[in-house]
Amino acid sequence: MLNLVFFDSDVRPHLLPLTYSRPVGDLRCGILTIREKWEHHLGVSGSFLTDDSLRELYPVEQGEHNLLINGAVLPTPALAEQVRQLVPGEAFQQNGLLVATCLNGDALEALIEGDEFDNIEAFELEGEPVRHLTRPADIFTFNGEEIRRDFALLIEGRTSATPSTSNTFIGDQSNLFLEEGVTMEACTLNLTTGPVYIGHDAVVLEGCLLRGPISVGEGAALKMGAKVYSNTTIGPKCKVGGEVNNVVFHSNSNKGHDGFLGNAVIGQWCNIGADTNASNLKNDYGEVRVWDYVSERFAKTGLQFHGLVMGDHSKLAINCMMNTGTVVGFSANVFGEGFPRTFIPSFSWGGAGGFRTYRLDKALATAERVMARRERQLSDEDRDLFARVFDASEKYRPE
């Protein structure tokens, strides 16, 4: 039986702060996470071979016929079919990027233990370039096309639930798919620009304006009058209001009130307060530079539009103003008037007036309360992860 494993390549540190708390393959781009995309294509569930700091939360499963896939690679039907044909001892690469390999049980065990194993015969993939994540900005850059791909994957052979006649639809309703349990009344959806997918038990309150491609995840809620522009993903159990444009919310995060986000990536268990705004365009319309964890300096992005990147468990209070290209780490708490700096390290507490260290015990207590509101418990493994990220990010915080 095929055993599917997603491995983190050397791109993982380039995807911080999002990968402090998840393997690369657990990132969401489009409707689904990368792991979920491959699982749909291959018809089998997978596990992760990831950084040591994450292995308690994401243990790897082993088998005798192991298909290892680069967790940063976004699949297509054609690519999935090629990868499925690999046999132990073979691999696919493209322009130096290892896309996938197949290992027997002994070879996978040796890989996990850091030991040597038999040589692998690598074949060069022909055809269109393999799309893969190299930085957080790729998540929102690729998101519109990934929504389209995931939409086609998820609706094949299925019929949408029937929407209420109180809604207004512009364009072909074949571009709309509602899972069972969706509540949506008196909203306007423009389907000419791309598909709109709304997951199980999602709630879209009155007056919302949606312009596809858009995904609203299972149990998510759009607040009254929300304006959701193209290429946006609202992850499972997120609550979103105000104005968002080309934003990816992972899951269990809230931006429930007025305020703007654009060209942004928001992790899990985040909260963005009322009337908080995050710029995605510089006043001089120039290229945006953002913090790079590998070079440990600000780096050019080649992008004119780049908004907020926010790690898991971080919070922005009401009326915060975030500059273009701000990167907020894991479990930071930002508040106060003025524009804080554009790199806010993990476990930072403060704002434009300065930051101090957010004590680990205080951060854990907040996370415990936040997760309990969604009937989730902060596990011992979660607590260990917080401690490891606290230590790993210490060098970025002021003395």
Side-chain angles (χ1 to χ4, degrees):
M1 179 179 293
L2 180 66
N3 181 48
L4 182 60
V5 177
F6 298 92
F7 66 88
D8 288 351
S9 66
D10 57 7
V11 77
R12 180 180 176 271
H14 293 273
L15 290 161
L16 293 171
L18 301 168
T19 48
Y20 271 133
S21 46
R22 61 174 61 77
V24 174
D26 207 37
L27 289 166
R28 188 176 302 277
C29 185
I31 301 173
L32 304 170
T33 65
I34 299 174
R35 172 184 61 83
E36 290 168 342
K37 298 172 193 289
W38 282 102
E39 289 176 342
H40 272 81
H41 282 294
L42 298 174
V44 60
S45 297
S47 63
F48 295 98
L49 181 57
T50 185
D51 188 77
D52 288 346
S53 65
L54 295 171
R55 289 195 183 181
E56 290 183 5
L57 285 166
Y58 296 91
V60 64
E61 296 183 7
Q62 302 179 51
E64 287 305 312
H65 185 94
N66 303 285
L67 180 59
L68 278 71
I69 293 176
N70 187 328
V73 170
L74 302 168
T76 64
L79 178 59
E81 189 55 39
Q82 285 182 284
V83 166
R84 189 196 302 270
Q85 306 306 317
L86 287 171
V87 299
E90 294 182 341
F92 279 131
Q93 64 180 14
Q94 189 178 78
N95 299 324
L97 173 72
L98 177 59
V99 175
T101 187
C102 191
L103 302 178
N104 62 29
D106 290 340
L108 177 58
E109 179 67 25
L111 178 63
I112 293 170
E113 297 298 326
D115 298 330
E116 294 184 359
F117 54 92
D118 292 340
N119 290 332
I120 301 296
E121 184 177 9
F123 301 94
E124 188 73 13
L125 276 171
E126 304 295 338
E128 64 182 55
V130 171
R131 178 178 284 179
H132 62 288
L133 303 182
T134 62
R135 56 183 182 170
D138 290 340
I139 295 173
F140 63 75
T141 300
F142 298 157
N143 199 54
E145 182 59 31
E146 287 301 306
I147 290 174
R148 296 175 191 273
R149 288 180 176 180
D150 290 348
F151 185 85
L153 182 66
L154 288 172
I155 74 165
E156 184 177 5
R158 303 176 62 216
T159 301
S160 170
T162 303
S164 168
T165 57
S166 71
N167 297 291
T168 298
F169 301 104
I170 305 167
D172 188 346
Q173 285 197 42
S174 66
N175 265 343
L176 172 67
F177 195 93
L178 308 182
E179 299 285 0
E180 292 298 326
V182 170
T183 300
M184 181 171 66
E185 301 286 351
C187 298
T188 300
L189 285 71
N190 187 340
L191 306 171
T192 65
T193 51
V196 173
Y197 173 88
I198 304 181
H200 288 280
D201 300 322
V203 177
V204 184
L205 294 178
E206 304 90 281
C208 288
L209 305 174
L210 283 68
R211 183 179 178 87
I214 287 170
S215 167
V216 180
E218 180 177 354
L222 291 180
K223 308 300 282 292
M224 286 196 297
K227 294 176 282 188
V228 184
Y229 288 85
S230 298
N231 308 327
T232 292
T233 293
I234 313 297
K237 298 186 178 179
C238 289
K239 296 180 180 179
V240 172
E243 182 180 5
V244 294
N245 180 12
N246 188 197
V247 180
V248 177
F249 293 87
H250 274 74
S251 65
N252 292 295
S253 288
N254 294 340
K255 181 204 168 298
H257 306 283
D258 284 345
F260 172 75
L261 280 182
N263 304 94
V265 186
I266 309 299
Q268 298 184 103
W269 306 108
C270 297
N271 191 74
I272 297 173
D275 203 32
T276 285
N277 294 276
S279 169
N280 65 339
L281 175 68
K282 294 173 64 176
N283 280 358
D284 64 3
Y285 289 58
E287 179 182 357
V288 182
R289 298 168 71 245
V290 301
W291 178 259
D292 175 65
Y293 279 88
V294 175
S295 63
E296 297 188 350
R297 61 180 177 84
F298 290 92
K300 294 180 178 180
T301 63
L303 299 174
Q304 188 178 49
F305 291 91
H306 192 309
L308 176 68
V309 175
M310 192 171 179
D312 289 6
H313 290 279
S314 285
K315 311 289 187 285
L316 304 181
I318 63 170
N319 293 310
C320 285
M321 297 185 294
M322 312 305 289
N323 265 308
T324 316
T326 296
V327 175
V328 179
F330 179 94
S331 191
N333 198 310
V334 184
F335 52 88
E337 63 183 4
F339 288 91
R341 61 194 186 196
T342 53
F343 170 52
I344 300 173
S346 302
F347 294 95
S348 293
W349 174 280
F355 287 91
R356 58 187 173 89
T357 296
Y358 188 11
R359 283 172 39 187
L360 179 58
D361 60 331
K362 297 289 188 180
L364 285 167
T366 298
E368 189 171 33
R369 288 191 292 268
V370 169
M371 295 176 70
R373 295 179 68 226
R374 302 285 174 88
E375 299 180 346
R376 292 278 298 277
Q377 184 177 3
L378 188 70
S379 67
D380 290 341
E381 292 79 9
D382 291 324
R383 292 175 184 276
D384 289 343
L385 174 64
F386 268 70
R388 285 191 291 268
V389 178
F390 185 87
D391 291 340
S393 57
E394 181 180 9
K395 63 180 179 180
Y396 302 116
R397 293 190 293 275
E399 296 295 333

PDB file of all heavy atoms in Angstrom, residues 25 152 207 226 248 264 274 306 309 320 345 352 384:
ATOM      1  N   GLY A  25       4.128  21.654   3.853  1.00  0.00           N
ATOM      2  CA  GLY A  25       2.981  21.058   3.174  1.00  0.00           C
ATOM      3  C   GLY A  25       1.650  21.312   3.843  1.00  0.00           C
ATOM      4  O   GLY A  25       0.604  20.992   3.277  1.00  0.00           O
ATOM      5  N   ALA A 152     -12.181  23.181  -9.354  1.00  0.00           N
ATOM      6  CA  ALA A 152     -12.426  22.122 -10.337  1.00  0.00           C
ATOM      7  C   ALA A 152     -12.239  20.741  -9.719  1.00  0.00           C
ATOM      8  O   ALA A 152     -13.001  19.802 -10.006  1.00  0.00           O
ATOM      9  CB  ALA A 152     -11.491  22.304 -11.532  1.00  0.00           C
ATOM     10  N   GLY A 207     -25.722  41.489   2.939  1.00  0.00           N
ATOM     11  CA  GLY A 207     -25.016  42.629   2.382  1.00  0.00           C
ATOM     12  C   GLY A 207     -23.595  42.381   1.969  1.00  0.00           C
ATOM     13  O   GLY A 207     -22.909  43.311   1.518  1.00  0.00           O
ATOM     14  N   ALA A 226     -19.442  42.752   4.453  1.00  0.00           N
ATOM     15  CA  ALA A 226     -18.033  42.523   4.112  1.00  0.00           C
ATOM     16  C   ALA A 226     -17.827  42.658   2.607  1.00  0.00           C
ATOM     17  O   ALA A 226     -18.658  42.226   1.803  1.00  0.00           O
ATOM     18  CB  ALA A 226     -17.592  41.144   4.585  1.00  0.00           C
ATOM     19  N   VAL A 248      -5.016  35.464   2.244  1.00  0.00           N
ATOM     20  CA  VAL A 248      -5.185  34.069   2.636  1.00  0.00           C
ATOM     21  C   VAL A 248      -5.210  34.003   4.164  1.00  0.00           C
ATOM     22  O   VAL A 248      -4.207  34.320   4.815  1.00  0.00           O
ATOM     23  CB  VAL A 248      -4.069  33.173   2.080  1.00  0.00           C
ATOM     24  CG1 VAL A 248      -4.239  31.736   2.573  1.00  0.00           C
ATOM     25  CG2 VAL A 248      -4.053  33.205   0.562  1.00  0.00           C
ATOM     26  N   ALA A 264      -2.010  39.693   1.518  1.00  0.00           N
ATOM     27  CA  ALA A 264      -1.568  39.327   2.861  1.00  0.00           C
ATOM     28  C   ALA A 264      -1.745  37.836   3.108  1.00  0.00           C
ATOM     29  O   ALA A 264      -2.531  37.162   2.436  1.00  0.00           O
ATOM     30  CB  ALA A 264      -2.355  40.130   3.903  1.00  0.00           C
ATOM     31  N   ALA A 274     -10.736  45.872  15.520  1.00  0.00           N
ATOM     32  CA  ALA A 274     -11.589  46.780  14.756  1.00  0.00           C
ATOM     33  C   ALA A 274     -10.802  47.981  14.244  1.00  0.00           C
ATOM     34  O   ALA A 274      -9.983  48.568  14.956  1.00  0.00           O
ATOM     35  CB  ALA A 274     -12.754  47.246  15.630  1.00  0.00           C
ATOM     36  N   HIS A 306       2.424  44.285  -1.606  1.00  0.00           N
ATOM     37  CA  HIS A 306       2.780  43.283  -0.598  1.00  0.00           C
ATOM     38  C   HIS A 306       2.316  43.809   0.745  1.00  0.00           C
ATOM     39  O   HIS A 306       2.825  44.821   1.247  1.00  0.00           O
ATOM     40  CB  HIS A 306       4.283  43.036  -0.588  1.00  0.00           C
ATOM     41  CG  HIS A 306       4.714  41.835   0.213  1.00  0.00           C
ATOM     42  ND1 HIS A 306       4.317  41.610   1.529  1.00  0.00           N
ATOM     43  CD2 HIS A 306       5.510  40.776  -0.117  1.00  0.00           C
ATOM     44  CE1 HIS A 306       4.849  40.490   1.966  1.00  0.00           C
ATOM     45  NE2 HIS A 306       5.579  39.956   0.996  1.00  0.00           N
ATOM     46  N   VAL A 309       2.207  39.888   6.563  1.00  0.00           N
ATOM     47  CA  VAL A 309       2.413  38.454   6.816  1.00  0.00           C
ATOM     48  C   VAL A 309       2.417  38.285   8.327  1.00  0.00           C
ATOM     49  O   VAL A 309       3.188  38.938   9.034  1.00  0.00           O
ATOM     50  CB  VAL A 309       3.726  37.942   6.211  1.00  0.00           C
ATOM     51  CG1 VAL A 309       3.968  36.483   6.603  1.00  0.00           C
ATOM     52  CG2 VAL A 309       3.712  38.086   4.692  1.00  0.00           C
ATOM     53  N   CYS A 320      -4.873  49.651  14.922  1.00  0.00           N
ATOM     54  CA  CYS A 320      -3.463  49.532  14.561  1.00  0.00           C
ATOM     55  C   CYS A 320      -3.270  49.947  13.103  1.00  0.00           C
ATOM     56  O   CYS A 320      -4.162  49.755  12.261  1.00  0.00           O
ATOM     57  CB  CYS A 320      -2.968  48.096  14.745  1.00  0.00           C
ATOM     58  SG  CYS A 320      -2.712  47.611  16.460  1.00  0.00           S
ATOM     59  N   PRO A 345       9.301  40.779  15.783  1.00  0.00           N
ATOM     60  CA  PRO A 345       9.703  39.405  16.102  1.00  0.00           C
ATOM     61  C   PRO A 345       8.641  38.651  16.900  1.00  0.00           C
ATOM     62  O   PRO A 345       7.750  39.238  17.511  1.00  0.00           O
ATOM     63  CB  PRO A 345      10.976  39.603  16.942  1.00  0.00           C
ATOM     64  CG  PRO A 345      11.470  40.959  16.586  1.00  0.00           C
ATOM     65  CD  PRO A 345      10.238  41.770  16.328  1.00  0.00           C
ATOM     66  N   ALA A 352       4.386  51.072  18.218  1.00  0.00           N
ATOM     67  CA  ALA A 352       5.282  52.085  17.670  1.00  0.00           C
ATOM     68  C   ALA A 352       6.172  52.695  18.736  1.00  0.00           C
ATOM     69  O   ALA A 352       7.284  53.155  18.456  1.00  0.00           O
ATOM     70  CB  ALA A 352       4.459  53.168  16.973  1.00  0.00           C
ATOM     71  N   ASP A 384       5.011  22.782  24.186  1.00  0.00           N
ATOM     72  CA  ASP A 384       6.418  22.563  23.845  1.00  0.00           C
ATOM     73  C   ASP A 384       6.808  23.373  22.609  1.00  0.00           C
ATOM     74  O   ASP A 384       7.915  23.926  22.539  1.00  0.00           O
ATOM     75  CB  ASP A 384       6.675  21.076  23.597  1.00  0.00           C
ATOM     76  CG  ASP A 384       6.612  20.247  24.870  1.00  0.00           C
ATOM     77  OD1 ASP A 384       6.693  20.835  25.971  1.00  0.00           O
ATOM     78  OD2 ASP A 384       6.471  19.016  24.761  1.00  0.00           O
TER      79      ASP A 384
END
